[in-house]
Amino acid sequence: DRIEPAIKAWINTLLALLTQTGTPHEDVLSKLLWSLVANGLLAKFERKAPKLIVYADDIVILVTGKFVDTNSNVMYNAQSKCR
């Protein structure tokens, strides 16, 4: 490990606080946190259904198909991956 334990603890504490209280939308840290979360989320859905559409800091989960039950199951599985 190349990061000092005290620095790791400080970062973890800061991130825990920010995820509970949030950051201002225009804050630089807000954009960094969004990138970290979005990259991990997008990797889970790469080349798999459903299709994710991403623009700036918004994500749309798009499910299409003929059968409502199948679409519902795909959306349910997608939501469980997001948690």
Side-chain angles (χ1 to χ4, degrees):
D1 241 7
R2 296 168 43 176
I3 300 175
E4 293 291 325
I7 294 173
K8 279 176 122 174
W10 179 79
I11 291 171
N12 286 334
T13 301
L14 179 64
L15 289 176
L17 177 65
L18 291 173
T19 55
Q20 291 173 4
T21 60
T23 60
H25 198 269
E26 62 280 348
D27 192 349
V28 173
L29 188 55
S30 177
K31 292 163 183 58
L32 173 65
L33 292 174
W34 165 251
S35 294
L36 294 173
V37 170
N39 284 341
L41 183 62
L42 294 174
K44 290 181 181 182
F45 290 98
E46 192 171 355
R47 296 187 183 100
K48 297 176 187 167
K51 182 178 180 177
L52 296 186
I53 300 171
V54 181
Y55 180 77
D57 62 353
D58 296 318
I59 294 179
V60 173
I61 301 174
L62 183 64
V63 179
T64 60
K66 293 181 181 181
F67 303 104
V68 173
D69 288 343
T70 303
N71 292 343
S72 179
N73 288 336
V74 170
M75 183 57 103
Y76 178 79
N77 290 335
Q79 289 175 334
S80 65
K81 287 183 182 180
C82 296
R83 295 185 183 140

